[in-house]
Amino acid sequence: MTMHRDAALKALIPHVREDDIVVAVYQSCFDWLALNPRDLNYVAVGAMGQASSHGLGLALANPDRRVIVLDGDGSLLMNLGTLVTIANAGVTNLYHFLSANRVYEVNGSHPLPGADRVDFAAMAWAAGYASVQRFTELDQFSAAVPQVLSSTGPQFVSMELTAGAPYPRDYAYIHSAQARASFREALNRR
């Protein structure tokens, strides 16, 4: 069984604090922005595969804030070295949630290479993340989120997903100077 992405993200929302930084990419970004618009949502565009790297930079620069990365499996596949880099960077405030739906969804739902064999959770574990979990059931995921976000990072959570409700892909907003300005102002506000 798999979870719907929007249901999984809705389960995460109540546990995201006001000062948490959320780094979301591609379809997870569009879903997250529709479900939980906030100024500390960092949108990385033109950097497919770089969500975890951007999240690491933000975690290193903001050790007093939790950084939640909402990554896609297609994106992570393009930057697997980031798993080792994150695990060895010494960050304790990074929480890496992977939307594992086995396709490049935003780009036409083309299947990932090795989609039926790749095990991202095993890769994160082998890289040295503090903890790695995989969820296919929404109730188990929902129950685990508070523990994940209160644990010392880096934490890795593979969410086995299907698309869920379709949310608009607002490319104009994610490419806008407004999105970056809102994030920068919120990040510097204390």
Side-chain angles (χ1 to χ4, degrees):
M1 178 127 182
T2 57
M3 304 179 282
H4 290 284
R5 181 178 40 246
D6 57 331
L9 294 177
K10 287 176 185 175
L12 181 60
I13 289 170
H15 307 286
V16 174
R17 297 188 301 228
E18 186 177 322
D19 66 335
D20 288 345
I21 298 169
V22 178
V23 179
V25 295
Y26 293 93
Q27 192 58 50
S28 292
C29 175
F30 295 121
D31 293 1
W32 184 256
L33 292 176
L35 295 168
N36 196 24
R38 52 195 291 279
D39 289 338
L40 281 174
N41 286 338
Y42 174 87
V43 293
V45 295
M48 191 166 183
Q50 299 299 312
S52 50
S53 296
H54 289 207
L56 175 59
L58 288 163
L60 288 167
N62 297 278
D64 57 332
R65 295 180 190 247
R66 296 188 309 191
V67 176
I68 299 167
V69 176
L70 303 177
D71 209 350
D73 53 359
S75 292
L76 182 56
L77 188 60
M78 296 180 173
N79 190 20
L80 287 173
T82 192
L83 295 173
V84 174
T85 304
I86 289 169
N88 288 281
V91 293
T92 58
N93 59 327
L94 190 135
Y95 303 86
H96 196 169
F97 290 82
L98 182 71
S99 293
N101 64 357
R102 312 297 174 185
V103 296
Y104 294 106
E105 187 174 345
V106 166
N107 297 323
S109 293
H110 302 289
L112 292 184
D116 59 337
R117 294 184 306 278
V118 66
D119 186 340
F120 292 102
M123 291 181 196
W125 183 255
Y129 271 65
S131 178
V132 175
Q133 298 180 59
R134 177 185 294 120
F135 295 97
T136 59
E137 302 286 337
L138 183 60
D139 59 340
Q140 293 172 349
F141 172 73
S142 298
V145 167
Q147 180 269 328
V148 168
L149 291 175
S150 65
S151 297
T152 300
Q155 297 283 317
F156 186 91
V157 175
S158 181
M159 305 177 299
E160 299 294 325
L161 300 173
T162 57
Y167 291 94
R169 294 179 180 167
D170 188 353
Y171 286 100
Y173 174 74
I174 68 168
H175 288 97
S176 72
Q178 174 197 352
R180 274 158 257 326
S182 295
F183 177 79
R184 188 173 33 256
E185 289 169 18
L187 189 61
N188 292 323
R189 193 180 315 131
R190 283 254 152 152

